[in-house]
Amino acid sequence: QVQLVESGGGLVQAGGSLRLSCAASGSIFSRNVMGWYRQAPGKQRELVADITTGGSTDYADSVKGRFTISRDNANNTVYLQMNSLKPEDTSVYYCNVKTWTALSISYDYWGQGTQVTVSS
């Protein structure tokens, strides 16, 4: 079982910055991807950014150039640095870990979510 503990959400003015952190504990296989998703009221959950163990990253077009994802493999922690925040970034942000066994059996874990609110 894997547990994800998120921190760093809050209220910020437009143009400001926040940094989200997510610490994973438990059985995470060496083959994994850590990422952040977000879900606003009435909308589907969407990928914000993810990062592989090797450091390859993927970003939603809406956050490219403003958000940076990084990870600490030794501590199974993933970070999301969010700069130049906009009111449309307001959402609940969820940490996610996808991991695969040697036989390619996949597991998908979610954090409890952290609220990010950007005021105009």
Side-chain angles (χ1 to χ4, degrees):
Q1 189 67 18
V2 172
Q3 290 187 326
L4 305 178
V5 178
E6 302 151 339
S7 60
L11 173 64
V12 65
Q13 289 188 331
S17 298
L18 283 174
R19 189 190 195 210
L20 305 183
S21 300
C22 173
S25 61
S27 300
I28 299 176
F29 300 103
S30 58
R31 182 181 167 199
N32 67 78
V33 176
M34 303 184 80
W36 291 93
Y37 288 70
R38 66 186 181 187
Q39 187 169 20
K43 294 188 176 182
Q44 289 189 329
R45 191 171 296 189
E46 62 175 0
L47 174 69
V48 177
D50 63 22
I51 183 168
T52 67
T53 49
S56 295
T57 58
D58 189 25
Y59 292 92
D61 288 342
S62 59
V63 307
K64 284 180 181 177
R66 301 187 297 123
F67 291 10
T68 302
I69 191 169
S70 61
R71 64 184 289 168
D72 177 353
N73 289 332
N75 293 303
N76 284 330
T77 302
V78 62
Y79 306 96
L80 185 68
Q81 178 66 43
M82 305 185 291
N83 298 329
S84 303
L85 282 160
K86 304 175 181 179
E88 51 263 43
D89 294 317
T90 295
S91 194
V92 178
Y93 284 70
Y94 296 91
C95 178
N96 172 262
V97 172
K98 295 179 177 61
T99 187
W100 294 265
T101 70
L103 297 178
S104 296
I105 298 172
S106 64
Y107 295 87
D108 202 8
Y109 300 101
W110 294 92
Q112 78 283 1
T114 185
Q115 177 70 45
V116 171
T117 303
V118 185
S119 63
S120 57

